[in-house]
Amino acid sequence: MRVYARILAAGFRTQSRYLPAAFAGLLANATFGLLKSGILLTLVDDGGGELDGYTAGTMAAYVWLSQGLLGSVNIWSLPSSAERIKSGDIAVDFLRPADVQLASIADDVGRGLFALIPRGLPSVGVGVLLVGMAMPAQVLPYALGAVSLALGITLSHALAYLLGTAGFWLVEVRGLQVLYMGVAGLLTGLITPVWLFPGWLEAIAVATPFPAVMMYPIDVLSGRTTGTDALWLLAVQAGWLALALAAGQVATRLGRRTLEVQGG
């Protein structure tokens, strides 16, 4: 585990070199956050001040926490391991004394954790100053929220890694990537809270790992879900993470058997 902790730290340091890009991402987060909050807060107001349990304050918390997570969770792009599979460089990784899957995820998680500093926290600050957010006054939701946040970030990168392993069998995986972006963008709760979906779509969403990436951490951190319900969401996140890691291990081992690299 010490090796992967060092890889995570290296990913954190690497991402810290791209501060201009991080601040550009913050500007985008703030811009789209204001648009998103304007739309959703209007819906709450039209609903008489409440929309399926969301007040103006809790809806604002959802908007700005989700915007703050955009730089840390991966629902948009393939990991670097996908390009290494395509180029054949993954063969070199298989020779190293570290698990290919865990090393890739650790690096990406380190990058995601750093993004919380220049993008995540300031995005939440924008929400607090300009819109107003209903956040818990107790310490426990923040402690549980930090655990849920770490699980959600790690799960997002584990799922992205699993998607990238399709490159062992496909010449091009960008089509899968585009499909994944659309499905994940909807079912994670990025566009609107999962709990506002029609019943049938909500049932589909909670049967997938996607709400565990973003929706559950937001609910726990904002205090919308507390007590044993919050612990249950953490357990669900941990379960999905274990399944994603196991599936990634199986895909990597099967892919290694079919890998052919030419050149020299």
Side-chain angles (χ1 to χ4, degrees), residues 7-261:
I7 294 174
L8 186 149
F12 187 96
R13 290 193 301 269
T14 299
Q15 195 65 21
S16 68
R17 300 173 183 172
Y18 302 103
L19 287 178
F23 289 126
L26 172 60
L27 179 60
N29 284 4
T31 301
F32 286 102
L34 290 172
L35 293 173
K36 186 176 174 181
S37 62
I39 294 171
L40 292 177
L41 290 177
T42 298
L43 292 176
V44 172
D45 185 62
D46 290 345
E50 185 175 342
L51 181 63
D52 286 350
Y54 281 94
T55 64
T58 55
M59 185 63 80
Y62 154 75
V63 169
W64 291 102
L65 287 174
S66 63
Q67 290 301 115
L69 282 173
L70 281 180
S72 298
V73 300
N74 184 9
I75 57 176
W76 310 109
S77 60
L78 293 170
S80 59
S81 59
E83 180 58 35
R84 295 183 66 80
I85 292 172
K86 183 176 181 179
S87 67
D89 291 340
I90 195 73
V92 178
D93 298 335
F94 283 132
L95 299 177
R96 292 171 176 159
D99 183 86
V100 171
Q101 179 199 31
L102 295 182
S104 176
I105 293 173
D107 179 67
D108 290 337
V109 169
R111 295 169 184 265
L113 290 176
F114 175 80
L116 291 174
I117 300 174
R119 290 186 63 175
L121 293 177
S123 293
V124 175
V126 171
V128 171
L129 294 176
L130 298 185
V131 181
M133 296 167 48
M135 295 295 288
Q138 300 81 17
V139 175
L140 184 58
Y142 295 103
L144 295 178
V147 177
S148 182
L149 190 63
L151 288 170
I153 292 173
T154 307
L155 175 59
S156 75
H157 293 291
L159 292 172
Y161 176 87
L162 180 60
L163 177 67
T165 60
F168 283 119
W169 297 276
L170 301 177
V171 175
E172 186 57 70
V173 296
R174 283 181 294 182
L176 283 178
Q177 178 189 356
V178 173
L179 176 62
Y180 182 84
M181 286 170 55
V183 173
L186 175 65
L187 299 185
T188 55
L190 171 63
I191 300 173
T192 186
V194 170
W195 318 124
L196 299 185
F197 288 174
W200 63 270
L201 185 55
E202 179 183 330
I204 292 174
V206 298
T208 72
F210 295 116
V213 169
M214 184 174 287
M215 195 72 251
Y216 296 168
I218 292 172
D219 282 350
V220 175
L221 192 57
S222 66
R224 190 171 189 272
T225 302
T226 59
T228 56
D229 291 335
L231 293 175
W232 170 248
L233 291 185
L234 265 64
V236 171
Q237 286 183 279
W240 280 120
L241 178 56
L243 286 175
L245 291 174
Q249 282 289 329
V250 171
T252 301
R253 293 178 182 180
L254 292 176
R256 185 173 184 176
R257 295 177 183 177
T258 63
L259 179 66
E260 293 184 9
V261 179

